[in-house]
Amino acid sequence: MKKTIALLASTSLISVGTAAMAADLEVTHWWTSGGEAAAVSEFARMFNENTEHTWVDGAIAGGGGTARPIMVGRITGGDPMGATQFNHGRQAEELVEAGLMLDLTELAEAEGWSDFVNPSSLLDSCTLDGRIYCVPINIHSWQWLWLSHKAYEDAGIPVPTNWDEFVAAAPALEEAGKIPLAMGQQPWQSNGAFNVMAIALAGTDAWKAVHLDHDAEVAAGPDYARVFEAAAQARAFSARSNVQDWNQATNMLISGQAGGQIMGDWAQGEFQVAGQVAGEDYSCLPGLGVNEIISTGGDAFYFPKVNNPEIEAAQLELASLMISKEAQVAFNLKKGSLPVRGDIDLTAANDCMAKGLEILATGAILPDTNQTFSPDTQGQLEDLMVEFWNDPSYSAEDAQRQYADIISRAD
């Protein structure tokens, strides 16, 4: 018999190991790349080994943009899964408001989540009207420029240490037959890269004005003009990057075909699967080497309501397991993300993860755009960035005017 996790031993919410019966729990997510699959398999392994229940994997290929509508459609259509991934922020807000998600407040209070979840904004993103509806599982930051040592060695030039050096090195990479910047074609990639440049080049005050205050004047002003000019440069650097998925772009760095990639810290999982070592085979520049800061995006799991006590018991056990110390270490070391718990030891972290942990400890953090804009506003911005990134005739000035207009109507 499997070992059963003792959840809420002194509460009446659930009596694990006695009243709870074994259940198959379908878990949907969009983690299908090599590093992602290795990480999520840690959750599955621990759930299968430590509870009476069985993890039924429901991976959906194509990333969050493809997976989320499927997940939402199933939940609203009366065919809910047992657990499902969303990003930190407002993606599941309407589902919670419609009463379709399991309330985890009693579990969270019994286990003291508010005492160890760091930063507290992650738990706030799970909270509506004082009730908790999701379990945060990691911190993913977009604020990274990844660099291939092989690409720069082949070109006979040093690995850059900041954005200006990266820009200056681009011609030498192109002469060596390399692509300066690897970029996939998914909308969230171009939008995410732009936001990284905004924080690094416009500065945090300007970014906060746009993202927190929805200040269209700042979005139309000189600080953001610099960002759009840099994005136009980046567009030219990535012109020959003819791949679709983000992990395909990361593989261009691993193979030495491309010099850099602006991508979140989940890229570390791909380097790890490929056997590459941080500081030897690749480097990472938080904040493009200009403004060392991390955004506190990432992933959370929600548990759709089901009219089945066995499934509900399994849902609560999985929620508890995902935020446990053991699972936080096992999952995040393979995912490349930072743990949501501030009370665990990650001495096994590589150089890049260690940089992220150091920045987190200083408090140099910003919310993720999923926490500052509604899904509708996010979609409008992604549409704009796809058009701008793929059309060399779309000027930085015209794109900035359209951007400011979207910000003026943002919610």
Side-chain angles (χ1 to χ4, degrees):
M1 180 178 291
K2 301 174 186 176
K3 177 184 175 184
T4 300
I5 296 177
L7 296 178
L8 309 182
S10 61
T11 75
S12 60
L13 180 61
I14 178 174
S15 179
V16 176
T18 56
M21 297 177 63
D24 291 338
L25 193 71
E26 182 189 8
V27 184
T28 56
H29 58 86
W30 55 80
W31 289 324
T32 57
S33 75
E36 291 172 330
V40 74
S41 68
E42 290 296 315
F43 279 151
R45 176 187 61 79
M46 295 183 73
F47 186 65
N48 290 337
E49 290 179 356
N50 293 285
T51 79
E52 297 293 332
H53 313 295
T54 301
W55 173 295
V56 178
D57 200 71
I60 301 172
T66 298
R68 277 190 295 273
I70 296 172
M71 295 166 174
V72 171
R74 284 190 53 186
I75 295 168
T76 57
D79 181 29
M81 62 294 291
T84 191
Q85 172 193 9
F86 285 105
N87 295 124
H88 297 316
R90 300 173 61 185
Q91 291 175 352
E93 188 174 76
E94 292 183 358
L95 297 173
V96 173
E97 290 174 340
L100 297 174
M101 292 300 188
L102 184 65
D103 188 334
L104 304 178
T105 307
E106 290 184 48
L107 173 64
E109 291 178 347
E111 296 188 341
W113 292 4
S114 63
D115 295 332
F116 56 73
V117 172
N118 180 49
S120 59
S121 60
L122 302 180
L123 199 56
D124 292 341
S125 291
C126 288
T127 305
L128 185 68
D129 297 331
R131 308 298 293 180
I132 296 171
Y133 293 93
C134 67
V135 53
I137 60 168
N138 63 3
I139 302 168
H140 263 321
S141 174
W142 251 105
Q143 311 304 315
W144 299 89
L145 173 62
W146 305 92
L147 300 166
S148 166
H149 287 199
K150 176 174 170 48
Y152 287 96
E153 289 168 3
D154 289 349
I157 54 176
V159 177
T161 62
N162 57 51
W163 178 254
D164 288 340
E165 290 180 8
F166 175 78
V167 171
L173 284 177
E174 290 178 323
E175 288 177 10
K178 308 292 184 181
I179 296 171
L181 183 67
M183 175 70 70
Q185 300 301 310
Q186 294 160 314
W188 62 270
Q189 293 186 55
S190 50
N191 190 46
F194 176 84
N195 285 322
V196 172
M197 287 186 277
I199 291 172
L201 304 178
T204 56
D205 288 342
W207 186 90
K208 287 178 181 178
V210 170
H211 284 259
L212 302 182
D213 302 328
H214 300 173
D215 191 325
E217 289 187 12
V218 174
D223 289 331
Y224 265 75
R226 182 186 179 198
V227 181
F228 276 93
E229 290 165 4
Q233 277 186 310
R235 177 177 64 189
F237 295 157
S238 64
R240 294 185 292 116
S241 180
N242 297 316
V243 295
Q244 177 71 16
D245 296 336
W246 71 269
N247 53 304
Q248 293 174 317
T250 305
N251 189 61
M252 295 174 71
L253 272 65
I254 292 170
S255 62
Q257 299 174 64
Q261 180 187 22
I262 300 174
M263 185 50 58
D265 50 15
W266 49 89
Q268 289 191 89
E270 302 306 299
F271 288 114
Q272 182 170 308
V273 167
Q276 297 212 328
V277 178
E280 297 179 12
D281 301 301
Y282 66 96
S283 291
C284 52
L285 300 181
L288 307 185
V290 177
N291 188 1
E292 289 199 354
I293 199 164
I294 63 172
S295 53
T296 53
D299 304 286
F301 271 82
Y302 290 76
F303 302 85
K305 284 185 178 179
V306 293
N307 186 24
N308 184 316
E310 286 77 29
I311 294 294
E312 184 172 326
Q315 291 173 319
L316 293 169
E317 290 196 63
L318 179 58
S320 179
L321 181 145
M322 285 178 158
I323 206 168
S324 69
K325 289 183 178 181
E326 296 78 8
Q328 281 285 298
V329 171
F331 173 82
N332 286 297
L333 284 177
K334 290 193 174 180
K335 191 67 166 63
S337 48
L338 304 181
V340 300
R341 296 188 68 122
D343 60 352
I344 58 177
D345 180 19
L346 273 180
T347 53
N350 66 26
D351 288 351
C352 292
M353 184 181 282
K355 284 184 182 180
L357 288 167
E358 290 169 5
I359 296 170
L360 180 64
T362 69
I365 59 176
L366 288 173
D368 185 74
T369 56
N370 287 309
Q371 297 166 294
T372 63
F373 291 136
S374 70
D376 178 64
T377 298
Q378 278 283 80
Q380 293 179 54
L381 292 172
E382 288 182 357
D383 290 344
L384 169 64
M385 289 303 160
V386 167
E387 186 177 358
F388 173 68
W389 212 273
N390 288 283
D391 183 0
S393 69
Y394 200 158
S395 71
E397 294 78 11
D398 287 344
Q400 185 179 8
R401 278 192 290 273
Q402 181 62 30
Y403 181 85
D405 181 62
I406 295 172
I407 296 303
S408 73
R409 296 178 281 104
D411 59 358

